[in-house]
Structure formats: C-alpha cells, structure tokens
Amino acid sequence: MIQSEPIHHPGVPRAHREGDARLAFERVGPRTVVRTARAHSPLRLLTPRNHGHAAWVYTSSLGGGLVDGDHLAVDIAVAPGATALLSSQGSTRVYRSPRGCRSELSARVEEGALLVLAPDPTMCFTGARFAQRQDVQLAPGASLVLMDLVTAGRSANGERWAFSRYASTLRVHREGRALLDERWLLDPSHGALPARLGRFDAIGTVLLVGPALDAAREALAAHVGALPVTPRAGLVCSASPLGPDGLVLRVAASSAEALVRTAREWLSFLPALLGDDPWTRRG
C-alpha cells in the first residue's frame, strides 16, 4: 500500500489549505498499476491491493473535511488499456465556510481504458459554501463510470439543506466534443432549500459512457425505465440516453442511506468489471 506524505506549507494557516494530487495509471501485462501517486496536504492517497486487474486509489482529507478557504485539485491520467478506480474513505464533509471551499478534478482517459469515479456522498453542513468541478476527457474507445451524490447534511441534528451554497459542474468530452455539460446550483437565495427539495434528503447522478459498459448500460436503462412512479414515493429515478453509448441515471431519495444503496445497486456490475468488490475492500 502506498500512502502519500502530507506536506506542510509554511505560512499557510490551518483554516486555509490548498491541496493537490496527481495520479497516473498504466497497464503492465494483464494488470493496471499506479505509476504516479503524489499529494499535498490536506489531500491523502491510499492505494490498497486488490484481487482484480484494476488499480484502486482512495482519497481522504486531513481533519476529516473541508474548512473555509480550502481548495483541492486532483489530476488523473489513465493510459491506454488501463482500468482505474478512484473512490474515497468516507463522505466529503464541508464545514461552515463564509469564503467558500472548492474541489476540482480533471481526468484524461485514453483509448480502451476505463475510469471509475465512485466517491462517497458530499455532505455540506450549516453555513457551508462549496463549488465542485469535474472535467473528463475521453479518447475514442475509452469508458467512464461516474457517481456524484450529495446529501442534505446532518438532518438528525436539524441541519437539513442548511448550507449557504452548493454548485457542481460536470463536463465530459470525447475528442473535443461535449457529451455532457451541466451545472447544479442549490442556493437558498433562490428559495428555501428544504421547501424546494421537499421530502428528499439526497440527490445524485450516475453516468455510464463507453464500450466497456454496453451490457450494464442496456440492463440499467431497461430496469430504471420500467420503475413505476408513485405519489409520495421515497425514491424517484430516471434514465436518459447520452449519445450512442452513454446513459445518465438520476435519483432523488428520502434518505442518504437509500441514495447510496440505490447507486451501489446500479453499479453492482463493478466487481465483475474490476475483478474485486470496491465496496467491501476499502483502503
């Protein structure tokens, strides 16, 4: 197991941290290896061994979450034919942050490669301001699985959709052509969030693109498309095609637990695709 060493930057206060990470995956024979894994505090990287052919990396943050002014940036390169998983050791917690926190991810997936981005949900606490950007560039024949989930916060403590602002930008391109370019914005200045979100305490997106996911995509499109929509349901799902080889799944759930359970059920094909189960073998 490789663990990144935290680096302290003199003169940077604890309440404002800029961390970056660089990851490169490469295929060596039948397996994928982590060729590069470098991170600066507060980001840390864990690269646990697994029984499959894919390489796995889990992220964590010193201090257990993001504080005011934090800015994280992750750069990923997946070489031709490689298979890589990037997940997290727990939910991304965003604390009260008047100036805001930012997280940026940039990935390049080469021909015949597969990248799985499956972190735990983002949880914004009271007064948090968070902006997230994900930009993925796919070569011809490359494949992508992406899971992006956000929850209401500490609902049990009365902090339900109590953050100040949540913005998420997701861009996926292939050969310079946009497959998906969208932005979510949850801002109470546009109306009280608890009222606007109603009974739902968690929302999310699951994205499947590329030839490695043909069978899973067809099965999920049929399954989710056949689900009935009932009044006051605790779970509402949708499936939309994305070009000739893509699928966007949306879900709104009445609890964070239901959201995570549903997303992982949708991705139940991953253990066979990776050769091991990422949900049971965490870093």
Side-chain angles (χ1 to χ4, degrees), residues 34-108:
V34 181
R35 184 62 68 193
T36 302
R38 295 199 298 266
H40 290 176
S41 178
L43 274 173
R44 299 199 305 178
L45 304 175
L46 300 173
T47 59
R49 294 182 179 180
N50 67 87
H51 298 308
H53 62 278
W56 298 359
V57 174
Y58 290 84
T59 63
S60 66
S61 176
L62 293 175
L66 304 182
V67 298
D68 195 23
D70 278 0
H71 177 199
L72 307 182
V74 178
D75 182 81
I76 305 170
V78 187
T83 301
L85 165 79
L86 180 66
S87 188
S88 61
Q89 283 201 305
S91 297
T92 298
R93 293 175 172 83
V94 185
Y95 298 100
R96 182 183 297 274
S97 39
R99 292 176 296 171
C101 304
R102 288 184 292 157
S103 176
E104 300 177 357
L105 181 145
S106 177
R108 298 172 304 285

Side-chain angles (χ1 to χ4, degrees), residues 119-178:
D120 287 313
T122 298
M123 179 186 299
C124 295
F125 294 172
T126 297
R129 298 179 65 88
F130 180 63
Q132 170 183 268
R133 181 177 64 82
Q134 299 182 87
D135 192 336
V136 182
Q137 303 285 339
L138 299 175
S143 299
L144 171 70
V145 176
L146 184 146
M147 183 171 75
D148 187 12
L149 313 177
V150 60
T151 71
R154 294 182 291 194
S155 298
N157 295 350
E159 299 182 20
R160 182 176 182 272
W161 303 116
F163 49 80
S164 296
R165 182 181 173 91
Y166 171 88
S168 178
T169 300
L170 173 60
R171 297 188 176 101
V172 180
H173 289 74
R174 176 180 284 148
E175 299 183 86
R177 181 175 64 87

Side-chain angles (χ1 to χ4, degrees), residues 165-283:
R165 182 181 173 91
Y166 171 88
S168 178
T169 300
L170 173 60
R171 297 188 176 101
V172 180
H173 289 74
R174 176 180 284 148
E175 299 183 86
R177 181 175 64 87
L179 297 179
L180 182 67
D181 191 339
E182 68 174 18
R183 186 170 190 248
W184 286 20
L185 177 62
L186 296 175
D187 191 327
S189 67
H190 300 155
L193 292 179
R196 289 166 59 196
L197 274 298
R199 65 188 181 278
F200 299 115
D201 270 9
I203 54 177
T205 296
V206 173
L207 175 65
L208 308 181
V209 179
L213 307 164
D214 285 348
R217 188 177 64 252
E218 292 176 8
L220 276 170
H223 170 70
V224 176
L227 292 175
V229 178
T230 57
R232 306 301 299 173
L235 193 73
V236 175
C237 309
S238 69
S240 303
L242 185 67
D245 66 347
L247 180 69
V248 181
L249 301 166
R250 312 284 192 185
V251 56
S254 58
S255 71
E257 294 78 12
L259 175 76
V260 172
R261 182 174 61 252
T262 298
R264 290 185 179 180
E265 287 174 355
W266 287 348
L267 299 184
S268 60
F269 61 86
L270 279 183
L273 196 63
L274 302 174
D276 203 346
D277 189 345
W279 311 131
T280 60
R281 295 178 57 85
R282 284 181 177 266

